[in-house]
Amino acid sequence: QATATDQLVGFGLVAFSLVLFVYYTLWIIVLPFMDSDHGIHQFFLPREYAVIIPVAAGLLLVLFIGVFIMFVTWKSRKHAKKSD
């Protein structure tokens, strides 16, 4: 059974993901069809960041996964040598 803290953290993560999805969708799909002098453009970064930010986030994710796998492999190998 999930505790109240777990439910609150889960709700926060879902809410954050929803806000990020709506922001990115508006930025990529809706904004190109609006006039460039419209006031809503001030709330969004330049369009080149629409590619740079997800690529950088993906590279960081791959880096962290690689470091985690390397650490777990190194730790298990070190533990196996001690038992010998």
Side-chain angles (χ1 to χ4, degrees):
Q1 195 62 283
T3 64
T5 305
D6 292 339
Q7 290 177 349
L8 185 62
V9 169
F11 177 75
L13 288 172
V14 169
F16 175 74
S17 298
L18 181 64
V19 167
L20 191 65
F21 175 76
V22 169
Y23 180 85
Y24 192 77
T25 302
L26 287 174
W27 186 20
I28 298 304
I29 296 175
V30 176
L31 215 58
F33 296 106
M34 299 184 87
D35 292 333
S36 60
D37 59 346
H38 196 279
I40 198 168
H41 283 275
Q42 68 183 350
F43 299 110
F44 296 91
L45 293 171
R47 299 214 25 99
E48 59 266 10
Y49 289 108
V51 174
I52 293 171
I53 292 173
V55 167
L59 288 174
L60 280 173
L61 179 65
V62 168
L63 174 73
F64 287 135
I65 290 172
V67 167
F68 175 75
I69 290 172
M70 183 182 72
F71 180 74
V72 168
T73 304
W74 179 67
K75 196 89 158 159
S76 66
R77 188 177 302 167
K78 188 176 172 183
H79 181 67
K81 280 186 176 182
K82 281 185 179 181
S83 63
D84 288 343

